[in-house]
Amino acid sequence: MEKKDKDKKKNRMSNKEIYRILAFEFRKEENQGLYISLISEMVSNLFYPNDETGQSRAKFKELIEKAFEDYSTNGTITEEQFCKAMDSIEQYINNETTERFLQKIFRRHDRNNDGYLDKDEFKLLM
């Protein structure tokens, strides 16, 4: 692995860290996994904040739930299962797709299309 690739990985959050952040926010009981439906709801709302009909959000939510289906048990996912699922997904992600992903989220939250997120737009993003 090249030094540049190692530096990029060093500066990224690990899948365990992402899971633990989600667990802090969404887990109901200490020894219980996260509900896939809560994760898919959060992510689909992030991608489709202005979906008037809810159709795009619902389709995206369904895709997320399907992606985690093989890694979950009874609609929940543990840290180990989450990391395995994310590892399988990450093989399709590179710098270009990450940049497009971030630009897409930004554009969808920039409601007035001024190239900036004002305070209200930023609150919706968070």
Side-chain angles (χ1 to χ4, degrees), residues 19-28 34 42:
Y19 179 87
R20 290 174 183 168
I21 290 168
L22 291 170
F24 179 78
E25 185 69 28
F26 295 115
R27 186 167 35 200
K28 301 295 181 199
L34 296 175
M42 182 197 68

Side-chain angles (χ1 to χ4, degrees), residues 40-95:
S40 64
E41 184 73 28
M42 182 197 68
V43 174
S44 61
N45 285 334
L46 180 67
F47 268 88
Y48 295 97
N50 303 316
D51 183 14
E52 301 281 328
T53 65
Q55 290 178 338
S56 296
R57 191 179 306 124
K59 284 180 187 177
F60 194 63
K61 185 176 184 219
E62 189 178 310
L63 285 172
I64 294 166
E65 290 174 3
K66 188 155 183 65
F68 283 101
E69 187 176 64
D70 292 340
Y71 299 93
S72 63
T73 307
N74 298 325
T76 64
I77 192 163
T78 65
E79 182 177 294
E80 183 180 345
Q81 292 167 324
F82 179 83
C83 291
K84 285 180 182 176
M86 292 302 292
D87 286 344
S88 72
I89 292 167
E90 283 180 348
Q91 67 182 330
Y92 302 105
I93 299 173
N94 59 36
N95 288 340

